[in-house]
Amino acid sequence: MSAAAPDYAQEIQRSAREILARTASTEGLLERLRAEDVSRGAWDAAAQAGWFRLLSGEAAGGLGAGPAELAALFREIGRHLAAGPWVDTVVAAGLLRDHADLGPDTALIGYLPEPGAVVEFAAVADVLVVRGPDSIGLARGALAMPLKSFDLAGRPAQVDLTGATVEAVVEGAEAERVAVAIARLARVARSGELAGLAAAALDMSVRYAGERVQFDRPIGAFQAVQHRIAEMAVTRTAVDSALAAIVTLAASEGTDAEQAALYEYAAGEARTVVLSALQVHGGIGFSAEHPLHAYIKRVLRLQAVAGEGEPLLDLGGRLLAG
Amino acid sequence: MAATAVKPLADRLDELRDWLARETPRDLPYDLDARFPRLVEWQRKLYDAGWLGYGWPAEFGGNGGGPTDKVILSVELARAAAPVPAGTIGLEVIGPTLTRFGTDAQRRRFLPPMLRGDEIWSQGFSEPEAGSDLASLRTRAEKVEGGYIVSGRKTWTSWGQFARWCGVLARTDPDVPKHKGISLLMVDMESEGAQTFPLVQMTGDAEFTETLFERVFVPDENVVGQPGDGWNLALDILAHERGPLVVRRQVEIAVGFEGIVENARRLVAAGVLADDARLRERVGRAWAQLRMLEAYAAGLMGHLVHGDLGPEASIGKRLVTEVEQAVFELGFDILGASRGLAEDAVPGMNADKWTRDYLYSRAASIYGGAAEIQRGIIAQRVLGLPRA
Ligand SMILES: Cc1cc2nc3c(=O)[nH]c(=O)nc-3n(C[C@H](O)[C@H](O)[C@H](O)COP(=O)(O)OP(=O)(O)OC[C@H]3O[C@@H](n4cnc5c(N)ncnc54)[C@H](O)[C@@H]3O)c2cc1C
């Protein structure tokens, strides 16, 4: 899939971290998320840095990167809780730019994988890409109805295609191939985001446990708290390692069921980490004025997105069937 | 004798796999006393065929090769469901320490017979009163002319009854802070005053011993490193054994999981296990945990090339323990009404083996530093939380 050198992923990570620290700082996170649907500063910087052509082929002016680079990028997006239709724009649009003109790099893209699916940021998207029975196309005149959500970093909407026209840009077997690639790479991206969120929650907890004083000492000096945070580090490592496995599977054929199962597993582990972070933070973590709940709710939403079917259960059934 | 200047093991994987497929003993008796001599034979065979010397210095009986060669071999053994060689504690714990910290004379004396399996080693660290708090150990080594007189009691010494040599942590200086007065001594278990008493584990096997030292003389040349280095050597040993352990154990657990899924099919077919959502979910989850661990181990291999993992190794130890315990718990639970039986109600279900494996998995959060101790290391030394 990618001929990129292994340290290309590290380079992407470094540059993403630098760009996001500047444009989507976690200082004032809640104000940022309340003030704008899409973290605009980060979005424009991302367009400039070529993130939206990360997966595009060289003919489309892309970087031709693969799943490892994608994972590295989304880890940072998760860590900074940058809001925007990142997955659909980087993955779906990134792959489709090889086939169609989707407008300027700064365009916000939504991708509807099947009728009735919830699409993040569909209501503000410049372009809506739709997977039809035998094609992938661009929809005009679709109606996006925003759904209220607890998640501060996503803007889910339901899409009504009645009365919309869809102009196919890829058809037949090629459409199928692209749709499969989108699904796999979207899972890589979301897993990366989960890993970044878990890492951020761990860091916040370590910091808070060193600062918060009760019974005349930092709470991080209490063994019960230390052990909880140590297990968070272990579970965070499990999320990272599951991400690595998901990246590997993205490049091999016929492994969708396995990849989906690993995503469900990773999301469950990430959830454990952010909920432990809540326990470490006590009452302040439960207060809306503290940013932790934004991380928790994002993880819960990302876990829900994997909720199509029950991948772990299905995979277990396959293994038992032999 | 092992050949020298051979190709890297990574380039001979096909050859190794073929060899293992042919030569792996499949009929080992379960009884430990009958089994042990066969494991010694097995080690000798591995050595003579030139496999076991990988990763060991050529001038001391090895084949040379890189730091990951040993891990590759142990992974291939696990993958082939081959038994671990009899001298595994020497190979995984004491040998690497001698390679790094021993004198040339010590390496020349001890490494070749250790590799061949002619001399088996054990690790005498824990004592009845010093487990997690190892540094409070009481075994004394008094300085005398030409050596030390060792007196004390060690316990839970794995394979102690078969060992010719024991790597013993003993207090050589009672007058300095407790971490500073400890030394690592190589004790000849054929010496006057050294004795072992097998201890039966909850699995029913007598896999470890009480190890008693009554005024045992140990010559100066059998001290590893400097007197007083014992604590640092022990930490180094524990940190170094964790990485390779994770990589090998991960494969062993995966092989165990395949056996569990196969057994589940057998039990479903026999009508004693329901192929329901609960079972499927657990099987799927165990599979995902193993894939996660496999990816973790692949990353670890990169670090092992550079040697030390440091306190991060405790994260790996926690991960592998969690997965091991989940997988073997599944292997046990599917036995249903036969859980805990040592005989089979359904032919081939192997209730005895799966019960033992389950029980043994529970030791994983005790040996090599209990889970709570690992958590303390992660919290304080990886994450930098304040000491209590
Ligand atoms: C199968 C097996 C093989 C072994 N093989 C060997 C061997 O070959 N050589 C050898 O030297 N030893 C061996 N051991 C011993 C092993 O290293 C010790 O059992 C281990 O270090 C724990 O010590 P302990 O059993 O004394 O438990 P303890 O230290 O008494 O601990 C009991 C419980 O208290 C907890 N605890 C202790 N201190 C703290 C603390 N500060 N904070 C929180 N919790 C704490 C522990 O985590 C544990 O849950 C083996 C043990 C087993 C089970």
Side-chain angles (χ1 to χ4, degrees), chain A residues 181-271:
Chain A
I182 291 174
R184 284 193 190 155
L185 292 168
R187 240 179 248 126
V188 169
R190 293 199 174 95
S191 316
E193 213 179 322
L194 283 166
L197 289 157
L202 173 64
D203 289 352
M204 283 168 86
S205 302
V206 170
R207 210 177 320 118
Y208 188 69
E211 288 164 6
R212 170 72 171 167
V213 172
Q214 289 291 282
F215 302 97
D216 299 325
R217 72 192 74 167
I219 56 167
F222 293 109
Q223 195 182 53
V225 176
Q226 288 197 350
H227 284 195
R228 180 184 294 280
I229 296 178
E231 282 305 291
M232 287 171 69
V234 173
T235 310
R236 195 283 302 259
T237 307
V239 179
D240 278 348
S241 303
L243 169 62
I246 287 168
V247 166
T248 306
L249 287 177
S252 33
E253 293 304 311
T255 49
D256 277 2
E258 297 189 347
Q259 215 206 17
L262 272 162
Y263 183 83
E264 188 187 353
Y265 167 74
E269 298 296 277
R271 176 173 172 166

Side-chain angles (χ1 to χ4, degrees), chain A residues 206 209 218 220-221 226-227 229-231 233-234 237-238 241-242 244-245 249 258 261-262 265 312-313 315-317 319-322, chain B residues 261 264-265 275 277 279-280 283-285 287-289 291-292 295-296 315 318-319 372 375-376 378-380 383 385-388:
Chain A
V206 170
Q226 288 197 350
H227 284 195
I229 296 178
E231 282 305 291
V234 173
T237 307
S241 303
L249 287 177
E258 297 189 347
L262 272 162
Y265 167 74
L312 282 172
L313 192 151
L315 191 84
L319 289 170
L320 286 164
Chain B
V261 172
R265 286 190 208 122
D275 181 4
L279 176 67
R280 290 180 180 193
V283 169
R285 185 167 298 279
W287 174 90
Q289 285 179 298
R291 290 308 285 262
M292 175 281 289
Y296 176 79
I315 292 182
R318 286 291 309 126
L319 275 180
E372 289 75 10
R375 291 191 189 109
I378 296 166
Q380 292 170 10
L383 303 173
L385 288 169
R387 282 177 188 275

Side-chain angles (χ1 to χ4, degrees), chain A:
Chain A
M1 214 162 214
S2 153
D7 54 8
Y8 188 30
Q10 279 174 21
E11 198 184 307
I12 296 273
Q13 181 187 7
R14 256 195 311 278
S15 115
R17 186 169 287 185
E18 188 269 310
I19 288 173
L20 290 170
R22 202 158 30 76
T23 57
S25 162
T26 45
E27 306 280 324
L29 172 75
L30 293 177
E31 293 72 45
R32 160 160 62 83
L33 291 177
R34 280 194 209 104
E36 48 184 10
D37 283 339
V38 172
S39 304
R40 265 294 164 187
W43 194 263
D44 293 343
Q48 192 131 49
W51 295 357
F52 301 126
R53 291 176 190 264
L54 188 76
L55 300 176
S56 313
E58 273 160 37
L63 304 176
E69 290 74 32
L70 186 67
L73 173 62
F74 273 84
R75 232 170 156 281
E76 295 309 313
I77 290 174
R79 205 185 246 286
H80 288 85
L81 217 56
W86 297 102
V87 177
D88 290 350
T89 307
V90 174
V91 176
L95 291 176
L96 281 168
R97 281 187 192 274
D98 291 344
H99 302 270
D101 179 7
L102 300 178
D105 275 19
T106 48
L108 304 170
I109 316 272
Y111 174 64
L112 183 72
E114 61 197 334
V118 170
V119 178
E120 283 196 334
F121 297 92
V124 295
D126 300 309
V127 179
L128 184 68
V129 178
V130 178
R131 166 87 171 118
D134 197 38
S135 66
I136 299 175
L138 310 184
R140 265 173 250 290
L143 199 61
M145 294 155 292
L147 293 164
K148 285 193 182 131
S149 171
F150 282 92
D151 178 12
L152 288 77
R155 292 287 181 273
Q158 258 171 342
V159 176
D160 184 355
L161 288 177
T162 336
T165 55
V166 179
E167 172 209 338
V169 292
V170 203
E171 289 176 294
E174 183 61 3
E176 175 63 19
R177 194 192 64 75
V178 174
V180 167
I182 291 174
R184 284 193 190 155
L185 292 168
R187 240 179 248 126
V188 169
R190 293 199 174 95
S191 316
E193 213 179 322
L194 283 166
L197 289 157
L202 173 64
D203 289 352
M204 283 168 86
S205 302
V206 170
R207 210 177 320 118
Y208 188 69
E211 288 164 6
R212 170 72 171 167
V213 172
Q214 289 291 282
F215 302 97
D216 299 325
R217 72 192 74 167
I219 56 167
F222 293 109
Q223 195 182 53
V225 176
Q226 288 197 350
H227 284 195
R228 180 184 294 280
I229 296 178
E231 282 305 291
M232 287 171 69
V234 173
T235 310
R236 195 283 302 259
T237 307
V239 179
D240 278 348
S241 303
L243 169 62
I246 287 168
V247 166
T248 306
L249 287 177
S252 33
E253 293 304 311
T255 49
D256 277 2
E258 297 189 347
Q259 215 206 17
L262 272 162
Y263 183 83
E264 188 187 353
Y265 167 74
E269 298 296 277
R271 176 173 172 166
T272 302
V273 174
V274 293
L275 292 182
S276 290
L278 174 57
Q279 189 64 23
V280 169
H281 281 79
I284 191 71
F286 199 75
S287 309
E289 73 200 62
H290 191 280
L292 180 60
H293 69 103
Y295 294 81
I296 295 173
K297 290 164 180 170
R298 185 70 191 148
V299 168
L300 295 178
R301 279 300 302 155
L302 284 168
Q303 185 184 32
V305 175
E308 345 113 32
E310 294 178 275
L312 282 172
L313 192 151
D314 293 344
L315 191 84
R318 279 165 190 244
L319 289 170
L320 286 164

